[in-house]
């Protein structure tokens, strides 16, 4: 087992995770980080820049697995801290409600969401953050876009697997219909 698997109950080794992904859907949380003004209106959307194993770069929202026996809210907080840093100051209600549930299939075209590794089900949330965001782990950068910029064809082209659709849905949910 890896060090992470030994110290984090609920983590799988790489081989175990590959085996699970081949047999059943995996539960994820996704968070679209936003900045809001004093009236609560979304002014900016935060998108991460990541490098793929093939060396290409893409933009994405905060995303990660829910561990066995982990509350959804705790998973959201863990992944937001992992990707945005410990002082991002996310505001997650005590009982968060997703704006959508996205189903990612390994076969393209089943839904707008595609993940060649697995069938995954992701509960997606819009999360206001007010602190200083410093990307960590595999996130190389975080760029704040206006809602119009975040839904532009240029930015959507940088978001694989349907994440551009997810950002559009998030903004429609908060009143920024594209």
């Amino acid at each position: 087992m890896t060090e992470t698997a030994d110290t984090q109950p609920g983590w799988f080794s790489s081989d175990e995770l590959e085996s699970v992904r081949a047999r059943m859907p995996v539960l994820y949380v996704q968070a679209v980080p936003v900045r809001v003004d004093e009236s609560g209106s979304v002014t900016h959307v935060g998108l991460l820049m990541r490098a793929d194993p093939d060396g290409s770069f893409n933009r994405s929202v905060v995303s990660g697995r829910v561990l066995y026996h982990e509350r959804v809210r705790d998973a959201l907080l863990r992944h937001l801290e992992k990707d945005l840093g410990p002082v991002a100051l996310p505001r997650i209600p005590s009982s968060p409600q997703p704006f959508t549930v996205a189903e990612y299939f390994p076969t393209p075209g089943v839904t707008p969401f595609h993940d060649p590794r697995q069938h995954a089900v992701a509960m997606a949330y819009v999360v206001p953050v007010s602190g200083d965001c410093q990307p960590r782990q595999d996130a190389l950068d975080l760029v704040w876009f206006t809602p119009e910029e975040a839904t532009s064809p240029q930015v959507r082209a940088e978001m694989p697997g349907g994440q551009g659709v997810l950002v559009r849905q998030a903004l429609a949910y908060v009143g920024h219909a594209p």
Side-chain angles (χ1 to χ4, degrees):
M1 284 234 175
T2 65
E3 180 181 26
T4 302
D6 290 338
T7 60
Q8 294 282 338
W11 281 112
F12 291 114
S13 70
S14 295
D15 291 339
E16 290 170 327
L17 180 58
E18 186 177 334
S19 176
V20 168
R21 284 178 166 159
R23 291 182 168 80
M24 61 189 311
V26 178
L27 180 62
Y28 281 74
V29 290
Q30 292 186 302
V32 179
V34 297
R35 297 277 194 203
V36 296
D37 64 17
E38 57 280 345
S39 68
S41 295
V42 172
T43 61
H44 291 87
V45 177
L47 297 175
L48 297 165
M49 177 66 74
R50 297 185 191 275
D52 284 338
D54 66 3
S56 63
F57 295 95
N58 63 64
R59 297 204 183 276
S60 70
V61 299
V62 172
S63 182
R65 292 189 313 268
V66 177
L67 299 178
Y68 177 74
H69 214 263
E70 182 178 40
R71 293 176 43 182
V72 167
R73 185 176 192 282
D74 294 336
L76 276 167
L77 285 169
R78 179 171 54 84
H79 288 293
L80 285 159
E81 181 176 328
K82 176 184 71 79
D83 284 346
L84 303 182
V87 292
L89 304 177
R91 294 192 311 253
I92 301 173
S94 58
S95 183
Q97 299 297 314
F99 69 86
T100 195
V101 175
E103 283 190 273
Y104 289 81
F105 282 87
T107 307
V110 177
T111 71
F113 307 104
H114 174 248
D115 185 338
R117 305 167 302 165
Q118 65 189 334
H119 175 192
V121 176
M123 296 182 295
Y125 302 84
V126 175
V127 179
V129 295
S130 57
D132 183 33
C133 297
Q134 297 295 322
R136 304 177 351 154
Q137 300 285 328
D138 63 343
L140 303 173
D141 194 14
L142 174 73
V143 176
W144 292 100
F145 294 95
T146 65
E148 295 76 21
E149 292 169 336
T151 57
S152 71
Q154 298 84 1
V155 173
R156 282 196 333 258
E158 297 176 3
M159 292 186 277
Q163 295 226 346
V165 172
L166 192 74
V167 169
R168 287 173 57 101
Q169 289 176 338
L171 287 169
Y173 178 76
V174 297
H176 279 280

